[in-house]
Amino acid sequence: PEQTAAIVLEAIQQAGVRAVIASGWGGLAASDVPETVHLIEGAPHEWLFPRMSAVVHHGGAGTTAAGLRAGVPTVIVPFKSDQPFWGKRVWQLGVGTEPIPRRTLTAEALAAALRATQTDSDMREKAAAMGEAIRAEDGISSAVRVIGAALGS
């Protein structure tokens, strides 16, 4: 965690962006970060992500869904299970950067990805459109219809 935190902080500086970091990052304290970084213990993704210009995370299904729903570009740094799949899918859809596996994560690669989320207008437009489409879905009604049809109701 300490190594990851150091990489992330260096990438933020190289990219020239501000960041909000959840405090799970290996013992970081407010005194350890520059003024451009705000540490939080946690916040609901559905509240926080729409307020960000991009999100960077591990690529779990729930976090990926929250990022897509927010309509902002995503950078995924996968390290296990289904995370590489979601990272690749986000990239294929054009709503985020190519995933950066944790084992190959460098400050330079993350900084480049952060810059891309800010400057790639096509990525930003696709992410916004996907977020709008997801927010317009009525998933519960759709699920009720599908289940009802399957049960013959």
Side-chain angles (χ1 to χ4, degrees):
E2 294 85 5
Q3 180 190 33
T4 301
I7 290 170
V8 169
L9 291 173
E10 177 62 26
I12 291 165
Q13 181 201 22
Q14 286 182 23
V17 296
R18 296 178 299 157
V20 174
I21 298 179
S23 61
W25 292 89
L28 276 180
S31 59
D32 297 332
V33 299
E35 289 183 11
T36 57
V37 174
H38 181 71
L39 289 182
I40 59 171
E41 282 190 35
H45 294 154
E46 58 276 354
W47 176 85
L48 181 63
F49 287 1
R51 290 167 168 78
M52 303 291 103
S53 63
V55 294
V56 178
H57 58 82
H58 64 294
T63 310
T64 301
L68 295 174
R69 182 178 178 83
V72 296
T74 299
V75 178
I76 294 182
V77 181
F79 62 92
K80 66 175 185 170
S81 349
D82 62 339
Q83 298 165 358
F85 168 80
W86 292 115
K88 184 176 180 183
R89 191 69 186 123
V90 162
W91 177 49
Q92 290 171 333
L93 291 168
V95 297
T97 65
E98 185 171 3
I100 309 168
R102 172 57 192 97
R103 70 186 184 293
T104 62
L105 181 67
T106 64
E108 294 74 20
L110 183 55
L114 289 170
R115 284 189 295 272
T117 66
Q118 303 306 297
T119 60
D120 185 329
S121 58
D122 188 48
M123 181 192 310
R124 296 192 65 75
E125 289 170 13
K126 286 180 180 177
M130 178 170 283
E132 189 173 321
I134 291 171
R135 291 187 304 274
E137 289 179 348
D138 184 3
I140 293 174
S141 293
S142 296
V144 168
R145 278 193 307 279
V146 169
I147 293 168
L151 297 175
S153 315

